[in-house]
Amino acid sequence: MQIVETTNEGLKRAYTVTIPAADIAARVEGEVKKIAPQIKMPGFRPGKVPANLVRKMHGPQLHQEALQTSIREAMDKLVADNKLRPAMQPAVSMGEGYDEGKDAELTVELEVLPQIEAPSLDGLKLEKLTVPVTDAEVAEAVERIGQGQKSFTDAKKGAKAKDGDQIIIDFLGKVDGVAFEGGAAEDTPLELGAGRFIPGFEEQLVGVKAGDETTITVTFPEDYPAENLKGKEATFDITVKAVKVAGEFEANDEFAKMLGLESLEQLQGLLRGQLEQETAGLTRTQMKRALLDQLAAGHDFAVPPSMVEAEFEQIWTQLQQEAQNEENPEEALKEIEAEKDDYRKIAERRVRLGLLLSEIGQANGVQVSAQEMEMLIRQAAQQYREQDRQRFVEYVRSEPLAAAQLRAPLYEDKVVDFLFDKAEVTEREVTKEELQAAIEAEEGAAAEAKPAPKKAAPKKKAAAAKDEAPAEEAAPAAEAAEEAPKKKAPAKKKAAADEAPAAEAAAEEVAPAPKKKAPAKKKAED
């Protein structure tokens, strides 16, 4: 086998690989000898079919398999001999005019991961903003649960319904005087002011009494799920069968027991824990953004263009999907299109941070254990139908790339936690509003640090990168927001576009693309 390097520019490499015809032929002959004893043919005793007949029957298939095996081995040798760390699956093409009996001439093009020195962790300083949970917030949480557990009793005879009351109604909806499917119901409870029916419906029933019959006119919203009703004016014939008033809510042990708990104190403790968990998530986001900003500011190495392009495509696809959900999709698409270059820079930053975190993790022995990986696989399998879960588990265990994609977010979090432990952390108590403001300020600072964008890119939530480099080249991705600009997004969501460092293409390092498909996810109706 002959390997000749033809390109070595930056992170780009190209080679020509020649696999001698004799090597391929020898592999075919080896396969013929292996399968010949298993071949059955009329006129010959089992295992006695001549090799030339076996070759005639199965030669093309055996040759194709031998060629593919030779190519895989050639790629393994190319990577090993040249100590390459491919960023993406190498592009391999066969020279024109190849036929059986000729040398196989291959052209191999790839990008390699940059050599990165793990940064010194000395002097890493972070401020941890914490939000204490107050008794008043816990009380509000208890009250919200209590409002959701309302009990209603009949109002006094002749009482007029008001906001907060419940009415029991029969209704019949019509468009242009014709009843429509799904527009009729009997004995329907409706809490006035709860906003559960279309706009204008509940408001027109304030003041009704038991026994009243009335007709109201409403207009279905333009985004109503039923196509035949979007934007249509409709009338509803209403019969009020009862008016009920809400009972007084009292936060006490009896209420907690109704929820299956032992006491009000236990309920309050559970709610306090939930609130603390929510604020802890915001605190972690703030710290992680500050950490990644420090790392990004101190490192500006070249990254493989193919990885940046793959990351950008994930971001861009998510943005386009979200734009389609806007009131004016065409305008939203124009807005993100005008800032396409900024999103590409965000993708480059995410890839660079992913590679940097990977290097830090490897240099410091950060690993995802076998037990943790098994838990990840089992958790991910739950998104599939029960009959497909075992097939998914087997798929992930047999495909290095799929396993790497699953492992990546946890690996990244473990590296970030490692850095938190190494940093000098000072704590400061703030309000929830102050913590949110600090997160937004970090987003704005990161946006200003980008290479001279003409406009700030809109804040959008992009698809999280999920790939991680296989074997020892773990390049984590997915999950931490780091540089969202402050301009209003065309969509209502306000998550950062550059939400996660990424290094997905490295996940394909020398690993062949998956040959098996993972089981289809559950349908919504399942």
Side-chain angles (χ1 to χ4, degrees), residues 154-399:
D154 288 334
K156 292 181 180 179
K157 188 174 182 179
K160 294 182 178 181
K162 60 184 183 301
D163 276 348
D165 289 347
Q166 183 188 76
I167 57 177
I168 308 299
I169 61 173
D170 296 344
F171 62 83
L172 175 64
K174 301 175 184 177
V175 173
D176 297 330
V178 179
F180 56 87
E181 185 178 357
E186 296 181 352
D187 296 326
T188 300
L190 171 61
E191 182 181 347
L192 298 181
R196 296 193 178 101
F197 277 40
I198 60 176
F201 193 103
E202 296 171 20
E203 292 85 342
Q204 296 182 61
L205 296 177
V206 172
V208 299
K209 304 185 300 296
D212 283 355
E213 294 184 359
T214 186
T215 298
I216 62 174
T217 301
V218 295
T219 300
F220 282 93
E222 293 292 341
D223 60 351
Y224 194 72
E227 288 291 334
N228 62 318
L229 297 176
K230 285 184 177 180
K232 294 287 184 68
E233 184 177 88
T235 61
F236 282 87
D237 298 332
I238 309 289
T239 299
V240 182
K241 304 179 84 170
V243 174
K244 296 176 177 287
V245 295
E248 291 294 326
F249 166 69
E250 186 177 352
N252 53 29
D253 288 344
E254 289 303 315
F255 173 67
K257 289 176 181 178
M258 187 180 72
L259 298 175
L261 302 175
E262 294 181 357
S263 64
L264 177 62
E265 183 179 359
Q266 185 185 17
L267 173 61
Q268 292 169 332
L270 290 173
L271 292 174
R272 183 179 295 276
Q274 290 178 2
L275 292 170
E276 288 173 345
Q277 190 173 15
E278 290 173 11
T279 57
L282 290 174
T283 294
R284 179 180 173 82
T285 296
Q286 172 263 323
M287 284 184 66
K288 192 171 183 180
R289 288 183 177 176
L291 169 67
L292 294 177
D293 282 346
Q294 288 189 46
L295 293 176
H299 299 84
D300 189 25
F301 51 84
V303 294
S306 58
M307 293 179 69
V308 174
E309 186 61 27
E311 183 65 25
F312 170 75
E313 286 301 323
Q314 286 199 20
I315 294 173
W316 195 245
T317 297
Q318 183 70 28
L319 290 173
Q320 289 178 313
Q321 289 173 348
E322 291 181 353
Q324 292 298 332
N325 295 326
E326 293 302 304
E327 292 181 6
N328 189 337
E330 186 175 345
E331 194 63 34
L333 287 170
K334 285 182 181 178
E335 185 173 347
I336 63 170
E337 186 70 38
E339 295 164 341
K340 200 169 187 175
D341 289 344
D342 290 334
Y343 284 113
R344 200 174 293 279
K345 290 167 187 170
I346 287 173
E348 181 178 333
R349 170 186 155 109
R350 289 176 63 174
V351 170
R352 184 175 291 110
L353 282 170
L355 291 171
L356 186 57
L357 287 176
S358 172
E359 195 66 34
I360 293 171
Q362 292 174 59
N364 292 278
V366 177
Q367 294 181 344
V368 173
S369 69
Q371 292 85 350
E372 289 170 327
M373 191 63 199
E374 185 65 22
M375 185 178 297
L376 284 176
I377 294 173
R378 293 295 176 184
Q379 288 174 346
Q382 295 304 309
Q383 66 186 309
Y384 296 96
R385 295 176 300 182
E386 187 172 354
Q387 60 266 36
D388 290 331
R389 290 173 188 169
Q390 187 56 38
R391 190 154 59 95
F392 170 80
V393 170
E394 293 170 359
Y395 166 76
V396 173
R397 286 173 177 166
S398 64
E399 293 292 349

Side-chain angles (χ1 to χ4, degrees), residues 22-230:
D23 291 355
I24 300 172
R27 191 180 296 277
V28 172
E29 287 303 314
E31 287 301 310
V32 168
K33 291 180 181 178
K34 185 187 298 184
I35 70 171
Q38 306 166 26
I39 299 296
K40 295 181 181 180
M41 185 179 292
F44 296 94
R45 287 181 297 165
K48 298 298 182 180
V49 179
N52 64 318
L53 291 180
V54 174
R55 198 179 297 109
K56 185 177 181 180
M57 292 173 59
H58 302 283
Q61 178 184 345
L62 293 176
H63 176 264
Q64 188 62 32
E65 291 175 355
L67 179 61
Q68 292 301 321
T69 301
S70 297
I71 291 174
R72 284 197 296 271
E73 289 185 357
M75 293 304 302
D76 290 344
K77 180 175 175 57
L78 169 66
V79 169
D81 288 357
N82 291 276
K83 296 181 173 60
L84 300 177
R85 301 191 304 163
M88 296 285 280
Q89 186 81 358
V92 182
S93 58
M94 180 84 74
E96 292 184 6
Y98 172 76
D99 288 315
E100 184 175 352
K102 293 183 177 180
D103 292 347
E105 301 283 349
L106 307 177
T107 299
V108 181
E109 297 178 345
L110 71 155
E111 292 173 356
V112 297
L113 296 174
Q115 294 295 329
I116 308 168
E117 290 187 11
S120 170
L121 304 181
D122 296 335
L124 189 60
K125 296 182 179 181
L126 295 170
E127 184 178 40
K128 182 178 182 179
L129 304 183
T130 61
V131 179
V133 175
T134 66
D135 292 342
E137 289 174 318
V138 175
E140 287 177 12
V142 173
E143 180 71 23
R144 283 195 298 272
I145 294 176
Q147 292 303 315
Q149 300 287 329
K150 285 181 183 177
S151 60
F152 292 90
T153 57
D154 288 334
K156 292 181 180 179
K157 188 174 182 179
K160 294 182 178 181
K162 60 184 183 301
D163 276 348
D165 289 347
Q166 183 188 76
I167 57 177
I168 308 299
I169 61 173
D170 296 344
F171 62 83
L172 175 64
K174 301 175 184 177
V175 173
D176 297 330
V178 179
F180 56 87
E181 185 178 357
E186 296 181 352
D187 296 326
T188 300
L190 171 61
E191 182 181 347
L192 298 181
R196 296 193 178 101
F197 277 40
I198 60 176
F201 193 103
E202 296 171 20
E203 292 85 342
Q204 296 182 61
L205 296 177
V206 172
V208 299
K209 304 185 300 296
D212 283 355
E213 294 184 359
T214 186
T215 298
I216 62 174
T217 301
V218 295
T219 300
F220 282 93
E222 293 292 341
D223 60 351
Y224 194 72
E227 288 291 334
N228 62 318
L229 297 176
K230 285 184 177 180

